[in-house]
Amino acid sequence: MTFGRRLRSRIWRGSVEDEVDAELGFHVEMRARELEARGMSSADAHEAAVRRFGNIERVNATCRSIGKQRDRGMRRTEFLTELTQDLTFAARQLVHHPGFTIVALLTLSLGIGATAAIFSAVQAVVLRPLPVPEPSRILAVYTAFPQGRGSVSAGNFVDGIEPVSSFAATTAIRYSSFNLADTAQAERIIGAQVTAGFFDVFGVVPAHGRVFTAGEDRPGGPKVVVLSHRLWNRRFGANPSVLETQVRLGGQPYEVIGVMPATFDFTAQTEELWVPMAFTPERKAMHDEHQYQVYARLASGATSERALAELHRNAESIRVRYPKEAAELDFAAAKVMDELVGDYRRRLFTLLGAVGLVMLIACGNIANLLLARATARSGELAIRVALGAGRGRIIRQLLTESLLLATLAGAAGIALASWGVQALTAAAPPGVPRLEQASINPLVLTFTAVIVIASAIVFGLAPAVRASRTDVQGVLKEGGRGMGAGVAKDRLRTAVIVGELALALVLLIGAGLLIRSAMALERVSPGFDASHVLAARLSLPPTDYKAPERVLQTFEQVAAAASAVPGVRSASLTSQVPMGPGGNGNGLIPEGKPFDIKNSIQSRLRIVTPGYFDTMGISVVRGRALNAEDRRGALKVMVVSESLARALFADSDPIGRRVACCEPGPDGKSPDYKTVVGVAADTRWRGPAEPPSPEFYLPAAQIPANAWDWIQRTLYVTVRTTGDPATVINPLRSALAPIVPGVPLFDIRTMEQRIGASLQTARFNTLLLTILGGLGVVLAIVGIYGVIAYFVTRRTREIGVRIALGATRRDVIALVVRQAVWPVGLGVAAGLIASVMATRLLRNQLFGIGPNDPMTFAGVAVAVTLVALTASFVPALRAAGSDPTDALRTQ
Amino acid sequence: MASRSDASGMLHGTLDALILKTLTWGVRHGYGIARWLEEATGDAVPIEEGSLYPALYRLERRGLIEAEWGLSELGRKAKFYRITAKGRRQLAADTEEWTRFSAAVSKVLIPSGA
């Protein structure tokens, strides 16, 4: 834009309308005057002038519209020109102050990078909808037990859930591991037996081939299998010709009929194949064997409230029809997405909040740097104001600088984030659903852009507004030294560090609580001795091992062979090791109480072979352990855990008492009683953080025949070793191979690894929050140091005078440190108050302490206060050591 | 220059070129331009006075001329136009185009030797 045009826009401040009216009016008037000068009368001249002009309204309207376009274009050009100027100027400023620029860019890009990385995890795990049509209409349906929600029985599924009219489709699923064997080596694969409604519920069509239909999930139906994309890729090289060929699953041939799309692999942990599940009429009559996951899709127009009401009604009619097996039956339902994400929503948002706090602290530091710099620049700004730049213009220019800084940091932050996402997914504990799919995608980029703009405003606005208030005359008179608004600026800078300290304290207290929880967890005795114990699973295919006697005999041979492996001190088998998924549960009723489901104690069943308590290091506190004498035909016995003994018999001696469980008695009607021969210590089988719950142990030789089906002919082989348990893995494999040819050991891990895995998520969270807390404190301390150092620089002269007048080192140090006492005290106090509220978010992750643990609060507060005051000591010492003559000579 | 007539009854673009030419001799307000065109072209190029202004606004929007407010000879506030460097380049191009166009038309209408 040329100077003339800009000048015109400055001088002509009226509207386009006025401009056109005046210009055309001028023309007509000039013409009229000329005609008048030639002798016309005034009225005639005006009329003639108008006539000669033509259609004045149309011309006026045309000119107005062109004029408006012209002005719009001009404003745009002006804006862009000014922006270019501001950006050029801002870039020059950044280049000329490399110290400031580097510190600010480092701080900001770290903050932005960390925020973007955590956000991409939040987005991948929590925010992203499931890649199926209308995922919010898919519900998981459960049996509601007094202790919580659980699986559903076949009978209740058929009678109570399938008929619900609010559901468009329903499916029952049973997850199990399959022995997939073809030409390559055998492999255990997590698969699912599903009823045909499965594919309707999720509404996903196969990528290749077809899925099975309602006709194929009846008893005796064809043996067909649908593969997941992941399995198809890994095992079959993504070869489409696998369709209609046969694979061997659990020793039986299955025809591959379809492959699901890659998007249907919701998480890295989901099942990898689906086979049809058929309910036999006997199965359909069973209402008390709860072993199926149930999902349902809401019919169009139906709500989950209506569906739940129907479920409650159906449960009631089942209760009436089967008072014995389903006395207290009820259903519960939840959105499948909430089930998938579970507790990670809260955990991840807590992390995002924490990283947001670090980002705020970082912004606080940049704001303080800018405030200090604004003082140095007040001369330059005063000259600009004197040359006619308005306040708005100055603010805009300074904000442009902030925005340029934030944008550069944002670009670096994205690079850091893409590295951070990889580090995060690599370091995160397994089992965080969908975390492996986290990436820097357009949504993350958009979020980062918002963070960039927001941070530029947060750290740039206050300094810009402050700078725009420059007292022009004062500054110019002082020769650009800029002492003008000193006191007020210091107060703002102090407020910023008060805020930073408060935020840092919240972060550190959160981290402190998690660390103390972790320490408490380490001290918890799990109820068993995990050292030197290895556990691996072995699953006998039902085709080759049909008869219960053969299963028992094989497992007994396995136990004997494992005991004979060199380096093994003892070996035994169990249906469920501690730290596992939990296993089967049964309701137990002590003899003497009415045989009513209301009197039953839900307990976890552990089927064990002799020697298990020795191998696992679980102490038997009363009575005896199970041994080889507890065989079929002998007295039916059980060992109960301490908490179960209390629940069944209160304080009286449980030994010799009888408990009904697991199977009908010999007459098929009356309860079957087992005699308690021992009490074992409680184990924290759900992990050290979870309180023990009732468990009972049955000898494998005495279990009911159908119990092998409950546990799918799968037992853990546990061995206690003399040395490193990892060294016996291969000898164990070769020792078992001749007994169970072609059946692989899987899930081979030491018990210490299993405990570690159950703590991994907590450890990871603790680690991340500790890092963030540490980062926050370092930033806040740097902020305090900066403010105090600045104070010392500003007061060099005054301090010099004081020293010259006889002030001691102590006096000077006290003067400087006193400057830090108030903001530190205020910041710590504010941080404590904020923490009381903020730590509630962590309540679910704490163990052994409350969210307002006084030890943590006090410890962190004292530590932060000390460190912060120490930071102010450094400039204080420098001030005390300064030479008064030098100090007085400056300025 | 397309051979299409515009509202003023002239060949399209001719008015723009004439305005630019007028302004090469100095700063003028709209009425002054109108007067100058009248005198310079006589009755040969009839211009409806009103059509001058949309042309001026369009030229200003295109940055070929620029305007500023000043005092007229009679002491009244008037909008004065000045040709810009871009306007001079446009005029040169238009003139060349016109020369070629008229030469071509002349060759057809006035065959040499006739």
Side-chain angles (χ1 to χ4, degrees), chain A residues 12 144 154 439 466 472 586 616 649 652 761 784 793 795 844 867:
Chain A
W12 182 264
S439 65
R466 180 71 69 188
V472 178
N586 291 74
M616 197 50 81
F649 309 111
S652 57
T761 311
I784 290 171
T793 318
R795 301 274 204 97
N844 288 2
V867 173

mmCIF file with all atom_site columns, all heavy atoms in Angstrom, chain A residues 12 144 154 439 466 472 586 616 649 652 761 784 793 795 844 867:
data_model
loop_
_atom_site.group_PDB
_atom_site.id
_atom_site.type_symbol
_atom_site.label_atom_id
_atom_site.label_alt_id
_atom_site.label_comp_id
_atom_site.label_asym_id
_atom_site.label_entity_id
_atom_site.label_seq_id
_atom_site.pdbx_PDB_ins_code
_atom_site.Cartn_x
_atom_site.Cartn_y
_atom_site.Cartn_z
_atom_site.occupancy
_atom_site.B_iso_or_equiv
_atom_site.pdbx_formal_charge
_atom_site.auth_seq_id
_atom_site.auth_comp_id
_atom_site.auth_asym_id
_atom_site.auth_atom_id
_atom_site.pdbx_PDB_model_num
ATOM 1   N N   . TRP A 1 12  ? -10.063 10.541  5.318  1.00 0.00 ? 12  TRP A N   1
ATOM 2   C CA  . TRP A 1 12  ? -11.488 10.341  5.110  1.00 0.00 ? 12  TRP A CA  1
ATOM 3   C C   . TRP A 1 12  ? -11.978 9.325   6.129  1.00 0.00 ? 12  TRP A C   1
ATOM 4   O O   . TRP A 1 12  ? -11.827 8.141   5.966  1.00 0.00 ? 12  TRP A O   1
ATOM 5   C CB  . TRP A 1 12  ? -11.805 9.866   3.696  1.00 0.00 ? 12  TRP A CB  1
ATOM 6   C CG  . TRP A 1 12  ? -13.289 9.738   3.535  1.00 0.00 ? 12  TRP A CG  1
ATOM 7   C CD1 . TRP A 1 12  ? -14.023 8.607   3.678  1.00 0.00 ? 12  TRP A CD1 1
ATOM 8   C CD2 . TRP A 1 12  ? -14.221 10.777  3.293  1.00 0.00 ? 12  TRP A CD2 1
ATOM 9   N NE1 . TRP A 1 12  ? -15.346 8.867   3.537  1.00 0.00 ? 12  TRP A NE1 1
ATOM 10  C CE2 . TRP A 1 12  ? -15.507 10.219  3.302  1.00 0.00 ? 12  TRP A CE2 1
ATOM 11  C CE3 . TRP A 1 12  ? -14.110 12.182  3.069  1.00 0.00 ? 12  TRP A CE3 1
ATOM 12  C CZ2 . TRP A 1 12  ? -16.680 10.958  3.098  1.00 0.00 ? 12  TRP A CZ2 1
ATOM 13  C CZ3 . TRP A 1 12  ? -15.270 12.900  2.868  1.00 0.00 ? 12  TRP A CZ3 1
ATOM 14  C CH2 . TRP A 1 12  ? -16.539 12.303  2.883  1.00 0.00 ? 12  TRP A CH2 1
ATOM 15  N N   . ALA A 1 144 ? -26.283 -59.096 37.945 1.00 0.00 ? 144 ALA A N   1
ATOM 16  C CA  . ALA A 1 144 ? -25.966 -58.247 39.087 1.00 0.00 ? 144 ALA A CA  1
ATOM 17  C C   . ALA A 1 144 ? -25.891 -59.115 40.336 1.00 0.00 ? 144 ALA A C   1
ATOM 18  O O   . ALA A 1 144 ? -26.901 -59.688 40.762 1.00 0.00 ? 144 ALA A O   1
ATOM 19  C CB  . ALA A 1 144 ? -27.032 -57.165 39.245 1.00 0.00 ? 144 ALA A CB  1
ATOM 20  N N   . ALA A 1 154 ? -26.286 -69.386 30.551 1.00 0.00 ? 154 ALA A N   1
ATOM 21  C CA  . ALA A 1 154 ? -26.949 -69.629 29.265 1.00 0.00 ? 154 ALA A CA  1
ATOM 22  C C   . ALA A 1 154 ? -28.453 -69.509 29.413 1.00 0.00 ? 154 ALA A C   1
ATOM 23  O O   . ALA A 1 154 ? -29.134 -68.901 28.578 1.00 0.00 ? 154 ALA A O   1
ATOM 24  C CB  . ALA A 1 154 ? -26.565 -71.012 28.739 1.00 0.00 ? 154 ALA A CB  1
ATOM 25  N N   . SER A 1 439 ? -1.258  -41.761 18.015 1.00 0.00 ? 439 SER A N   1
ATOM 26  C CA  . SER A 1 439 ? -0.387  -41.165 17.015 1.00 0.00 ? 439 SER A CA  1
ATOM 27  C C   . SER A 1 439 ? -0.660  -39.674 16.965 1.00 0.00 ? 439 SER A C   1
ATOM 28  O O   . SER A 1 439 ? -1.609  -39.188 17.558 1.00 0.00 ? 439 SER A O   1
ATOM 29  C CB  . SER A 1 439 ? -0.656  -41.783 15.640 1.00 0.00 ? 439 SER A CB  1
ATOM 30  O OG  . SER A 1 439 ? -1.968  -41.439 15.235 1.00 0.00 ? 439 SER A OG  1
ATOM 31  N N   . ARG A 1 466 ? 0.571   -4.764  30.222 1.00 0.00 ? 466 ARG A N   1
ATOM 32  C CA  . ARG A 1 466 ? 1.405   -3.994  31.142 1.00 0.00 ? 466 ARG A CA  1
ATOM 33  C C   . ARG A 1 466 ? 2.318   -3.051  30.345 1.00 0.00 ? 466 ARG A C   1
ATOM 34  O O   . ARG A 1 466 ? 2.429   -1.870  30.644 1.00 0.00 ? 466 ARG A O   1
ATOM 35  C CB  . ARG A 1 466 ? 2.224   -4.998  31.960 1.00 0.00 ? 466 ARG A CB  1
ATOM 36  C CG  . ARG A 1 466 ? 3.138   -4.407  32.963 1.00 0.00 ? 466 ARG A CG  1
ATOM 37  C CD  . ARG A 1 466 ? 2.434   -3.813  34.127 1.00 0.00 ? 466 ARG A CD  1
ATOM 38  N NE  . ARG A 1 466 ? 1.817   -4.814  34.963 1.00 0.00 ? 466 ARG A NE  1
ATOM 39  C CZ  . ARG A 1 466 ? 1.007   -4.496  35.972 1.00 0.00 ? 466 ARG A CZ  1
ATOM 40  N NH1 . ARG A 1 466 ? 0.737   -3.245  36.241 1.00 0.00 ? 466 ARG A NH1 1
ATOM 41  N NH2 . ARG A 1 466 ? 0.460   -5.435  36.699 1.00 0.00 ? 466 ARG A NH2 1
ATOM 42  N N   . VAL A 1 472 ? 4.953   7.243   28.796 1.00 0.00 ? 472 VAL A N   1
ATOM 43  C CA  . VAL A 1 472 ? 5.870   7.669   27.735 1.00 0.00 ? 472 VAL A CA  1
ATOM 44  C C   . VAL A 1 472 ? 6.853   8.725   28.239 1.00 0.00 ? 472 VAL A C   1
ATOM 45  O O   . VAL A 1 472 ? 8.066   8.586   28.123 1.00 0.00 ? 472 VAL A O   1
ATOM 46  C CB  . VAL A 1 472 ? 5.070   8.233   26.546 1.00 0.00 ? 472 VAL A CB  1
ATOM 47  C CG1 . VAL A 1 472 ? 6.031   8.708   25.475 1.00 0.00 ? 472 VAL A CG1 1
ATOM 48  C CG2 . VAL A 1 472 ? 4.113   7.207   26.025 1.00 0.00 ? 472 VAL A CG2 1
ATOM 49  N N   . ASN A 1 586 ? -17.892 -70.220 43.357 1.00 0.00 ? 586 ASN A N   1
ATOM 50  C CA  . ASN A 1 586 ? -19.035 -71.023 43.777 1.00 0.00 ? 586 ASN A CA  1
ATOM 51  C C   . ASN A 1 586 ? -19.632 -70.426 45.048 1.00 0.00 ? 586 ASN A C   1
ATOM 52  O O   . ASN A 1 586 ? -18.934 -69.783 45.823 1.00 0.00 ? 586 ASN A O   1
ATOM 53  C CB  . ASN A 1 586 ? -18.599 -72.463 44.073 1.00 0.00 ? 586 ASN A CB  1
ATOM 54  C CG  . ASN A 1 586 ? -18.186 -73.200 42.809 1.00 0.00 ? 586 ASN A CG  1
ATOM 55  O OD1 . ASN A 1 586 ? -17.117 -72.954 42.266 1.00 0.00 ? 586 ASN A OD1 1
ATOM 56  N ND2 . ASN A 1 586 ? -19.050 -74.089 42.347 1.00 0.00 ? 586 ASN A ND2 1
ATOM 57  N N   . MET A 1 616 ? 3.599   -73.062 46.488 1.00 0.00 ? 616 MET A N   1
ATOM 58  C CA  . MET A 1 616 ? 3.274   -71.638 46.377 1.00 0.00 ? 616 MET A CA  1
ATOM 59  C C   . MET A 1 616 ? 3.673   -70.873 47.641 1.00 0.00 ? 616 MET A C   1
ATOM 60  O O   . MET A 1 616 ? 3.657   -69.650 47.653 1.00 0.00 ? 616 MET A O   1
ATOM 61  C CB  . MET A 1 616 ? 1.771   -71.489 46.090 1.00 0.00 ? 616 MET A CB  1
ATOM 62  C CG  . MET A 1 616 ? 1.343   -70.132 45.561 1.00 0.00 ? 616 MET A CG  1
ATOM 63  S SD  . MET A 1 616 ? 2.326   -69.530 44.162 1.00 0.00 ? 616 MET A SD  1
ATOM 64  C CE  . MET A 1 616 ? 1.572   -70.424 42.814 1.00 0.00 ? 616 MET A CE  1
ATOM 65  N N   . PHE A 1 649 ? -17.964 -69.598 59.541 1.00 0.00 ? 649 PHE A N   1
ATOM 66  C CA  . PHE A 1 649 ? -18.128 -70.104 60.912 1.00 0.00 ? 649 PHE A CA  1
ATOM 67  C C   . PHE A 1 649 ? -17.827 -69.061 61.979 1.00 0.00 ? 649 PHE A C   1
ATOM 68  O O   . PHE A 1 649 ? -17.663 -69.389 63.148 1.00 0.00 ? 649 PHE A O   1
ATOM 69  C CB  . PHE A 1 649 ? -17.200 -71.310 61.144 1.00 0.00 ? 649 PHE A CB  1
ATOM 70  C CG  . PHE A 1 649 ? -17.330 -72.356 60.069 1.00 0.00 ? 649 PHE A CG  1
ATOM 71  C CD1 . PHE A 1 649 ? -16.305 -72.594 59.176 1.00 0.00 ? 649 PHE A CD1 1
ATOM 72  C CD2 . PHE A 1 649 ? -18.505 -73.095 59.941 1.00 0.00 ? 649 PHE A CD2 1
ATOM 73  C CE1 . PHE A 1 649 ? -16.425 -73.553 58.181 1.00 0.00 ? 649 PHE A CE1 1
ATOM 74  C CE2 . PHE A 1 649 ? -18.627 -74.060 58.947 1.00 0.00 ? 649 PHE A CE2 1
ATOM 75  C CZ  . PHE A 1 649 ? -17.586 -74.283 58.059 1.00 0.00 ? 649 PHE A CZ  1
ATOM 76  N N   . SER A 1 652 ? -15.754 -69.766 65.516 1.00 0.00 ? 652 SER A N   1
ATOM 77  C CA  . SER A 1 652 ? -15.638 -71.151 65.986 1.00 0.00 ? 652 SER A CA  1
ATOM 78  C C   . SER A 1 652 ? -14.668 -71.945 65.103 1.00 0.00 ? 652 SER A C   1
ATOM 79  O O   . SER A 1 652 ? -14.363 -71.539 63.980 1.00 0.00 ? 652 SER A O   1
ATOM 80  C CB  . SER A 1 652 ? -17.015 -71.807 65.998 1.00 0.00 ? 652 SER A CB  1
ATOM 81  O OG  . SER A 1 652 ? -17.571 -71.746 64.712 1.00 0.00 ? 652 SER A OG  1
ATOM 82  N N   . THR A 1 761 ? 0.819   -50.874 36.161 1.00 0.00 ? 761 THR A N   1
ATOM 83  C CA  . THR A 1 761 ? 0.067   -49.677 35.841 1.00 0.00 ? 761 THR A CA  1
ATOM 84  C C   . THR A 1 761 ? 0.284   -48.620 36.917 1.00 0.00 ? 761 THR A C   1
ATOM 85  O O   . THR A 1 761 ? 0.541   -47.461 36.623 1.00 0.00 ? 761 THR A O   1
ATOM 86  C CB  . THR A 1 761 ? -1.429  -50.011 35.735 1.00 0.00 ? 761 THR A CB  1
ATOM 87  O OG1 . THR A 1 761 ? -1.558  -51.136 34.905 1.00 0.00 ? 761 THR A OG1 1
ATOM 88  C CG2 . THR A 1 761 ? -2.201  -48.864 35.151 1.00 0.00 ? 761 THR A CG2 1
ATOM 89  N N   . ILE A 1 784 ? 11.356  -18.551 40.611 1.00 0.00 ? 784 ILE A N   1
ATOM 90  C CA  . ILE A 1 784 ? 11.666  -17.803 41.833 1.00 0.00 ? 784 ILE A CA  1
ATOM 91  C C   . ILE A 1 784 ? 13.059  -17.191 41.733 1.00 0.00 ? 784 ILE A C   1
ATOM 92  O O   . ILE A 1 784 ? 13.276  -16.018 42.025 1.00 0.00 ? 784 ILE A O   1
ATOM 93  C CB  . ILE A 1 784 ? 11.599  -18.733 43.058 1.00 0.00 ? 784 ILE A CB  1
ATOM 94  C CG1 . ILE A 1 784 ? 10.156  -19.114 43.313 1.00 0.00 ? 784 ILE A CG1 1
ATOM 95  C CG2 . ILE A 1 784 ? 12.203  -18.059 44.284 1.00 0.00 ? 784 ILE A CG2 1
ATOM 96  C CD1 . ILE A 1 784 ? 10.005  -20.178 44.342 1.00 0.00 ? 784 ILE A CD1 1
ATOM 97  N N   . THR A 1 793 ? 19.319  -7.244  40.851 1.00 0.00 ? 793 THR A N   1
ATOM 98  C CA  . THR A 1 793 ? 19.887  -6.391  39.809 1.00 0.00 ? 793 THR A CA  1
ATOM 99  C C   . THR A 1 793 ? 19.317  -4.974  39.907 1.00 0.00 ? 793 THR A C   1
ATOM 100 O O   . THR A 1 793 ? 20.038  -3.987  39.796 1.00 0.00 ? 793 THR A O   1
ATOM 101 C CB  . THR A 1 793 ? 19.555  -6.980  38.419 1.00 0.00 ? 793 THR A CB  1
ATOM 102 O OG1 . THR A 1 793 ? 19.738  -8.379  38.485 1.00 0.00 ? 793 THR A OG1 1
ATOM 103 C CG2 . THR A 1 793 ? 20.442  -6.397  37.364 1.00 0.00 ? 793 THR A CG2 1
ATOM 104 N N   . ARG A 1 795 ? 18.134  -3.504  42.472 1.00 0.00 ? 795 ARG A N   1
ATOM 105 C CA  . ARG A 1 795 ? 18.463  -2.782  43.705 1.00 0.00 ? 795 ARG A CA  1
ATOM 106 C C   . ARG A 1 795 ? 19.972  -2.702  43.943 1.00 0.00 ? 795 ARG A C   1
ATOM 107 O O   . ARG A 1 795 ? 20.395  -2.426  45.053 1.00 0.00 ? 795 ARG A O   1
ATOM 108 C CB  . ARG A 1 795 ? 17.817  -3.480  44.898 1.00 0.00 ? 795 ARG A CB  1
ATOM 109 C CG  . ARG A 1 795 ? 16.327  -3.578  44.804 1.00 0.00 ? 795 ARG A CG  1
ATOM 110 C CD  . ARG A 1 795 ? 15.674  -2.321  45.354 1.00 0.00 ? 795 ARG A CD  1
ATOM 111 N NE  . ARG A 1 795 ? 14.321  -2.602  45.779 1.00 0.00 ? 795 ARG A NE  1
ATOM 112 C CZ  . ARG A 1 795 ? 13.962  -2.859  47.022 1.00 0.00 ? 795 ARG A CZ  1
ATOM 113 N NH1 . ARG A 1 795 ? 14.845  -2.870  47.975 1.00 0.00 ? 795 ARG A NH1 1
ATOM 114 N NH2 . ARG A 1 795 ? 12.709  -3.098  47.316 1.00 0.00 ? 795 ARG A NH2 1
ATOM 115 N N   . ASN A 1 844 ? -8.706  -43.465 43.923 1.00 0.00 ? 844 ASN A N   1
ATOM 116 C CA  . ASN A 1 844 ? -8.743  -44.869 43.512 1.00 0.00 ? 844 ASN A CA  1
ATOM 117 C C   . ASN A 1 844 ? -7.356  -45.470 43.342 1.00 0.00 ? 844 ASN A C   1
ATOM 118 O O   . ASN A 1 844 ? -7.211  -46.681 43.283 1.00 0.00 ? 844 ASN A O   1
ATOM 119 C CB  . ASN A 1 844 ? -9.469  -45.012 42.165 1.00 0.00 ? 844 ASN A CB  1
ATOM 120 C CG  . ASN A 1 844 ? -10.939 -44.785 42.324 1.00 0.00 ? 844 ASN A CG  1
ATOM 121 O OD1 . ASN A 1 844 ? -11.395 -44.488 43.429 1.00 0.00 ? 844 ASN A OD1 1
ATOM 122 N ND2 . ASN A 1 844 ? -11.683 -44.902 41.242 1.00 0.00 ? 844 ASN A ND2 1
ATOM 123 N N   . VAL A 1 867 ? 13.582  -25.574 49.352 1.00 0.00 ? 867 VAL A N   1
ATOM 124 C CA  . VAL A 1 867 ? 14.250  -25.475 48.054 1.00 0.00 ? 867 VAL A CA  1
ATOM 125 C C   . VAL A 1 867 ? 14.039  -24.083 47.460 1.00 0.00 ? 867 VAL A C   1
ATOM 126 O O   . VAL A 1 867 ? 14.959  -23.464 46.921 1.00 0.00 ? 867 VAL A O   1
ATOM 127 C CB  . VAL A 1 867 ? 13.724  -26.566 47.097 1.00 0.00 ? 867 VAL A CB  1
ATOM 128 C CG1 . VAL A 1 867 ? 14.273  -26.355 45.706 1.00 0.00 ? 867 VAL A CG1 1
ATOM 129 C CG2 . VAL A 1 867 ? 14.115  -27.940 47.607 1.00 0.00 ? 867 VAL A CG2 1
#
